Amino acid sequence: MQNKKKLYSIISVAVASLFIAGCQVKTTMNRSELNKAFKTDTAVLVDSKKIELATKKNNSKIKVTDQNLEQLGKDQSKVLKIQDKLDNSKIVSSYPKDVSEYNQSVYKYTTMLRKGSTPKALNSQFHKTALQGTKIVKKHQDGKFDKTFKEVLAADNLDGYKLTSSEYKKAGLVLKKSKKSSSANTSEKTAKLLPKDNKQDKAKHNQAIKAYQRKHSVRVLEGLAFVSAIMVIVFIFLQPSKQDDSMNALADNGGSTLFNRPKPQGYALFLIRSTEFFMLVMVGSLIALDFLSK
């Protein structure tokens, strides 16, 4: 019975330690995860734009059908899941921050569409989101625009925002004129989107993650959290069973000493104080790690 009780105590402390660690220590989203999040947001943006174009008739407010509202709700759930993951990850470079801003901009556009905003307001928000996406591709993805994001650019161009504008040039968009035609409109449709500088951003991102992981303070705090968790389990296991003490107290003098038991002293007091100390060290280390990750 005593061994079972100690085993339950050890399991409880272990589960609590893992729960605290999971709540406090944030993970880092790698480039592959960030690229996937960006592509998902872009796909949602394109699908939402198609809904807008299908329902837009004049300059009055958009009226979205119930079927489209359901689809927009599903798309917004995907966007919110990405934002939640970004909020609970370490920000060790500008890439996660940029993707987070792009994600929020996509969510704002879909919300405006669901509420039935005017085409002018929707086009303005879509243009802002397209510029943010262009900056991300230029800065973090070597300027390689995929098919889905090219649809975003084409839709923005259709709304009257020219891809040759100063805004897009500032965002990093470079167009190569088509040899088949000198027409500006034709060249924009058949343009090859070329990368600019900052091709070393991938290496910088990986270096930033490694630099954080190599910090002396981070390693020390992680070691303290791990060692203190082990010590808490050990000291709990070494503590005497209170159930046996209670049974002995009931047997002595008909239980007269049950409510007059002396305070723990010596070895028992040492085990209790040690357990409390290492619990504080573990919790303090996890809180400090959370602070450093922000």
Coordinates of all heavy atoms in Angstrom, one line a residue, residues 92-143:
V92 N 12.5 34.2 -32.8 CA 13.9 34.4 -32.8 C 14.4 35.0 -34.1 O 15.6 35.2 -34.3 CB 14.6 33.0 -32.7 CG1 14.3 32.4 -31.3 CG2 14.2 32.0 -33.8
S93 N 13.5 35.4 -35.0 CA 13.9 36.1 -36.2 C 12.6 36.9 -36.7 O 11.6 36.8 -36.1 CB 14.4 35.1 -37.3 OG 13.3 34.4 -37.8
S94 N 12.8 37.6 -37.8 CA 11.7 38.5 -38.3 C 10.7 37.6 -39.1 O 9.6 38.1 -39.3 CB 12.3 39.6 -39.2 OG 12.9 39.0 -40.3
Y95 N 11.0 36.4 -39.5 CA 10.1 35.6 -40.4 C 8.8 35.3 -39.6 O 7.7 35.6 -40.2 CB 10.8 34.3 -40.8 CG 10.2 33.6 -42.0 CD1 9.1 34.1 -42.6 CD2 10.7 32.4 -42.4 CE1 8.5 33.5 -43.7 CE2 10.1 31.7 -43.5 CZ 9.0 32.3 -44.1 OH 8.4 31.6 -45.2
P96 N 8.8 34.8 -38.4 CA 7.6 34.5 -37.7 C 6.7 35.7 -37.5 O 5.5 35.7 -37.7 CB 8.0 33.9 -36.4 CG 9.4 33.4 -36.6 CD 10.0 34.3 -37.6
K97 N 7.4 36.9 -37.2 CA 6.6 38.1 -37.0 C 6.0 38.6 -38.3 O 4.8 39.0 -38.3 CB 7.6 39.2 -36.5 CG 6.9 40.5 -36.2 CD 7.9 41.5 -35.7 CE 7.2 42.9 -35.4 NZ 8.2 43.9 -35.0
D98 N 6.7 38.5 -39.4 CA 6.1 38.9 -40.7 C 4.9 38.0 -41.1 O 3.9 38.5 -41.6 CB 7.2 38.8 -41.8 CG 8.2 39.9 -41.6 OD1 8.0 40.9 -40.8 OD2 9.3 39.8 -42.1
V99 N 5.1 36.7 -40.9 CA 4.0 35.7 -41.2 C 2.8 36.0 -40.3 O 1.6 35.9 -40.8 CB 4.5 34.3 -41.0 CG1 3.3 33.3 -41.2 CG2 5.5 33.9 -42.1
S100 N 3.0 36.3 -39.0 CA 1.9 36.6 -38.1 C 1.1 37.9 -38.6 O -0.1 37.9 -38.6 CB 2.5 36.9 -36.7 OG 1.5 37.2 -35.8
E101 N 1.8 38.9 -39.0 CA 1.2 40.1 -39.5 C 0.4 39.8 -40.8 O -0.7 40.3 -41.0 CB 2.2 41.2 -39.8 CG 2.8 41.8 -38.5 CD 3.9 42.8 -38.8 OE1 4.2 43.0 -40.0 OE2 4.4 43.4 -37.9
Y102 N 0.9 39.0 -41.7 CA 0.3 38.6 -42.9 C -1.0 37.8 -42.6 O -2.1 37.9 -43.2 CB 1.2 37.8 -43.8 CG 0.7 37.2 -45.1 CD1 0.4 38.1 -46.1 CD2 0.4 35.9 -45.2 CE1 -0.1 37.6 -47.3 CE2 -0.1 35.4 -46.4 CZ -0.4 36.2 -47.5 OH -0.9 35.7 -48.6
N103 N -0.8 36.9 -41.6 CA -2.0 36.0 -41.1 C -3.1 36.9 -40.6 O -4.3 36.7 -40.9 CB -1.4 35.1 -40.1 CG -2.5 34.2 -39.5 OD1 -3.2 34.6 -38.5 ND2 -2.7 33.0 -40.0
Q104 N -2.8 37.9 -39.8 CA -3.8 38.8 -39.3 C -4.5 39.6 -40.3 O -5.7 39.9 -40.3 CB -3.2 39.7 -38.2 CG -2.7 39.0 -37.0 CD -1.9 39.9 -36.0 OE1 -2.1 41.1 -36.1 NE2 -1.1 39.3 -35.2
S105 N -3.7 40.0 -41.4 CA -4.3 40.7 -42.5 C -5.2 39.9 -43.3 O -6.3 40.4 -43.7 CB -3.1 41.3 -43.4 OG -3.6 42.2 -44.3
V106 N -4.9 38.6 -43.5 CA -5.8 37.7 -44.2 C -7.1 37.5 -43.4 O -8.2 37.5 -44.0 CB -5.1 36.3 -44.4 CG1 -6.1 35.3 -45.0 CG2 -3.9 36.5 -45.4
Y107 N -6.9 37.4 -42.1 CA -8.1 37.2 -41.3 C -9.0 38.4 -41.3 O -10.3 38.3 -41.4 CB -7.7 36.9 -39.8 CG -8.9 36.6 -38.9 CD1 -9.4 35.3 -38.9 CD2 -9.4 37.6 -38.1 CE1 -10.5 35.1 -38.1 CE2 -10.5 37.3 -37.3 CZ -11.0 36.0 -37.2 OH -12.1 35.8 -36.4
K108 N -8.4 39.6 -41.3 CA -9.2 40.8 -41.4 C -10.0 40.9 -42.7 O -11.2 41.3 -42.7 CB -8.3 42.0 -41.3 CG -9.0 43.4 -41.2 CD -8.1 44.5 -41.0 CE -8.8 45.9 -41.0 NZ -7.9 47.0 -40.8
Y109 N -9.3 40.5 -43.8 CA -10.0 40.6 -45.1 C -11.2 39.6 -45.1 O -12.3 40.0 -45.6 CB -9.0 40.2 -46.2 CG -9.7 40.0 -47.6 CD1 -10.1 41.1 -48.3 CD2 -9.9 38.8 -48.1 CE1 -10.7 41.0 -49.6 CE2 -10.5 38.6 -49.3 CZ -10.9 39.7 -50.1 OH -11.5 39.5 -51.3
T110 N -11.0 38.4 -44.6 CA -12.1 37.4 -44.6 C -13.2 37.9 -43.7 O -14.4 37.6 -44.0 CB -11.6 36.0 -44.2 OG1 -11.0 36.1 -42.9 CG2 -10.6 35.5 -45.2
T111 N -12.9 38.5 -42.6 CA -13.9 39.1 -41.7 C -14.7 40.2 -42.4 O -16.0 40.2 -42.3 CB -13.3 39.6 -40.4 OG1 -12.6 38.5 -39.8 CG2 -14.3 40.1 -39.5
M112 N -14.1 41.0 -43.1 CA -14.7 42.1 -43.8 C -15.7 41.5 -44.9 O -16.8 42.0 -45.1 CB -13.7 43.1 -44.4 CG -12.9 43.9 -43.4 SD -11.6 44.8 -44.2 CE -12.5 45.9 -45.3
L113 N -15.2 40.5 -45.5 CA -16.0 39.9 -46.6 C -17.3 39.2 -45.9 O -18.4 39.3 -46.5 CB -15.2 38.8 -47.3 CG -15.9 38.1 -48.5 CD1 -16.3 39.1 -49.5 CD2 -14.9 37.1 -49.1
R114 N -17.1 38.6 -44.8 CA -18.3 37.9 -44.1 C -19.3 39.0 -43.7 O -20.5 38.7 -43.7 CB -17.8 37.1 -42.9 CG -17.0 35.9 -43.3 CD -16.7 35.0 -42.0 NE -17.9 34.4 -41.5 CZ -18.0 33.7 -40.5 NH1 -16.9 33.4 -39.8 NH2 -19.2 33.1 -40.1
K115 N -18.8 40.1 -43.2 CA -19.7 41.2 -42.8 C -20.3 42.0 -43.9 O -21.3 42.7 -43.7 CB -19.0 42.1 -41.8 CG -18.6 41.5 -40.5 CD -17.8 42.5 -39.6 CE -17.5 41.9 -38.3 NZ -16.8 42.8 -37.4
G116 N -19.9 41.8 -45.1 CA -20.4 42.4 -46.3 C -20.0 43.9 -46.5 O -20.8 44.8 -46.7
S117 N -18.7 44.1 -46.4 CA -18.1 45.4 -46.6 C -18.2 45.8 -48.1 O -18.6 45.0 -49.0 CB -16.6 45.4 -46.2 OG -16.5 45.2 -44.8
T118 N -18.0 47.1 -48.4 CA -18.0 47.6 -49.8 C -16.8 47.0 -50.6 O -15.8 46.7 -50.0 CB -18.0 49.1 -49.8 OG1 -16.8 49.6 -49.2 CG2 -19.2 49.6 -49.0
P119 N -17.0 46.9 -51.9 CA -15.9 46.5 -52.7 C -14.6 47.3 -52.6 O -13.5 46.8 -52.6 CB -16.5 46.6 -54.2 CG -17.9 46.4 -54.0 CD -18.2 47.1 -52.7
K120 N -14.8 48.6 -52.4 CA -13.7 49.5 -52.3 C -12.9 49.2 -51.0 O -11.6 49.1 -51.1 CB -14.1 51.0 -52.2 CG -13.0 52.0 -52.1 CD -13.6 53.4 -52.1 CE -12.4 54.4 -52.0 NZ -12.9 55.8 -52.0
A121 N -13.5 49.0 -49.9 CA -12.9 48.6 -48.7 C -12.2 47.3 -48.8 O -11.1 47.1 -48.3 CB -13.8 48.6 -47.5
L122 N -12.9 46.3 -49.4 CA -12.3 45.0 -49.6 C -11.0 45.0 -50.5 O -10.0 44.4 -50.2 CB -13.3 44.0 -50.2 CG -14.4 43.6 -49.2 CD1 -15.6 42.9 -50.0 CD2 -13.9 42.6 -48.2
N123 N -11.1 45.8 -51.6 CA -10.0 45.9 -52.5 C -8.8 46.5 -51.8 O -7.6 46.1 -52.0 CB -10.3 46.7 -53.7 CG -11.3 46.0 -54.6 OD1 -11.6 44.8 -54.4 ND2 -12.0 46.7 -55.5
S124 N -9.0 47.5 -50.9 CA -8.0 48.2 -50.2 C -7.3 47.2 -49.2 O -6.0 47.2 -49.1 CB -8.5 49.4 -49.4 OG -7.5 50.0 -48.7
Q125 N -8.1 46.4 -48.5 CA -7.5 45.4 -47.6 C -6.8 44.3 -48.3 O -5.7 43.9 -47.9 CB -8.6 44.9 -46.7 CG -8.1 43.8 -45.7 CD -7.1 44.4 -44.7 OE1 -7.1 45.5 -44.4 NE2 -6.2 43.5 -44.2
F126 N -7.3 43.9 -49.4 CA -6.7 42.8 -50.2 C -5.3 43.3 -50.7 O -4.3 42.6 -50.7 CB -7.6 42.4 -51.4 CG -7.1 41.3 -52.2 CD1 -7.4 40.0 -51.8 CD2 -6.2 41.5 -53.3 CE1 -6.9 38.9 -52.6 CE2 -5.8 40.4 -54.0 CZ -6.1 39.1 -53.6
H127 N -5.3 44.6 -51.2 CA -4.0 45.2 -51.7 C -3.0 45.2 -50.6 O -1.8 44.9 -50.8 CB -4.3 46.6 -52.3 CG -3.1 47.3 -52.7 ND1 -2.2 46.8 -53.7 CD2 -2.5 48.5 -52.3 CE1 -1.2 47.7 -53.9 NE2 -1.4 48.7 -53.0
K128 N -3.4 45.6 -49.4 CA -2.5 45.7 -48.3 C -1.9 44.3 -47.9 O -0.7 44.2 -47.7 CB -3.2 46.3 -47.0 CG -2.3 46.3 -45.8 CD -3.2 46.9 -44.6 CE -2.3 46.9 -43.3 NZ -3.1 47.3 -42.2
T129 N -2.8 43.3 -48.0 CA -2.3 41.9 -47.7 C -1.4 41.4 -48.8 O -0.4 40.8 -48.5 CB -3.6 41.0 -47.6 OG1 -4.5 41.6 -46.7 CG2 -3.2 39.6 -47.1
A130 N -1.7 41.8 -50.0 CA -0.8 41.3 -51.2 C 0.6 41.9 -51.0 O 1.6 41.3 -51.3 CB -1.5 41.7 -52.5
L131 N 0.7 43.2 -50.6 CA 2.0 43.8 -50.4 C 2.8 43.2 -49.3 O 4.0 42.9 -49.4 CB 1.8 45.3 -50.1 CG 1.3 46.2 -51.3 CD1 1.1 47.6 -50.8 CD2 2.4 46.3 -52.4
Q132 N 2.0 42.8 -48.2 CA 2.7 42.1 -47.1 C 3.2 40.8 -47.5 O 4.4 40.4 -47.2 CB 1.7 41.9 -45.9 CG 1.4 43.2 -45.2 CD 0.4 43.0 -44.1 OE1 -0.6 42.3 -44.3 NE2 0.5 43.7 -43.0
G133 N 2.4 40.0 -48.3 CA 2.9 38.8 -48.8 C 4.1 38.9 -49.8 O 5.0 38.1 -49.8
T134 N 4.1 39.9 -50.6 CA 5.2 40.2 -51.5 C 6.5 40.4 -50.8 O 7.5 39.9 -51.1 CB 4.9 41.4 -52.4 OG1 3.7 41.1 -53.1 CG2 6.0 41.6 -53.4
K135 N 6.4 41.1 -49.7 CA 7.6 41.4 -48.9 C 8.1 40.1 -48.2 O 9.4 39.9 -48.2 CB 7.3 42.4 -47.8 CG 7.0 43.8 -48.3 CD 6.6 44.7 -47.1 CE 6.3 46.1 -47.6 NZ 5.8 47.0 -46.5
I136 N 7.2 39.2 -47.8 CA 7.7 38.0 -47.2 C 8.4 37.1 -48.3 O 9.4 36.5 -48.0 CB 6.4 37.2 -46.7 CG1 5.9 37.9 -45.4 CG2 6.8 35.8 -46.3 CD1 4.7 37.4 -44.8
V137 N 7.8 37.0 -49.5 CA 8.4 36.2 -50.5 C 9.8 36.7 -50.9 O 10.7 36.0 -51.1 CB 7.5 36.1 -51.8 CG1 8.2 35.3 -52.9 CG2 6.2 35.4 -51.4
K138 N 9.9 38.0 -51.0 CA 11.1 38.7 -51.4 C 12.2 38.5 -50.3 O 13.3 38.2 -50.5 CB 10.9 40.2 -51.7 CG 12.1 41.0 -52.0 CD 12.5 41.8 -50.8 CE 13.7 42.7 -51.2 NZ 14.1 43.6 -50.0
K139 N 11.8 38.7 -49.0 CA 12.7 38.7 -47.9 C 13.1 37.3 -47.4 O 14.2 37.1 -47.0 CB 12.1 39.6 -46.8 CG 13.1 39.8 -45.6 CD 12.4 40.7 -44.6 CE 13.3 40.9 -43.4 NZ 12.7 41.7 -42.3
H140 N 12.1 36.4 -47.3 CA 12.3 35.2 -46.6 C 12.3 33.9 -47.6 O 12.6 32.8 -47.1 CB 11.2 35.0 -45.5 CG 11.2 36.1 -44.5 ND1 12.2 36.3 -43.6 CD2 10.3 37.1 -44.3 CE1 12.0 37.3 -42.9 NE2 10.8 37.8 -43.3
Q141 N 11.8 34.1 -48.8 CA 11.7 32.9 -49.7 C 12.4 33.1 -51.0 O 12.0 32.5 -52.0 CB 10.2 32.7 -50.0 CG 9.4 32.3 -48.7 CD 7.9 32.1 -49.0 OE1 7.5 32.0 -50.1 NE2 7.2 31.9 -47.9
D142 N 13.5 33.9 -51.0 CA 14.4 34.1 -52.1 C 13.6 34.6 -53.3 O 14.1 34.4 -54.5 CB 15.1 32.8 -52.5 CG 16.0 32.3 -51.4 OD1 16.4 33.1 -50.6 OD2 16.2 31.1 -51.3
G143 N 12.5 35.3 -53.1 CA 11.8 35.9 -54.2 C 11.1 34.9 -55.2 O 10.8 35.3 -56.3

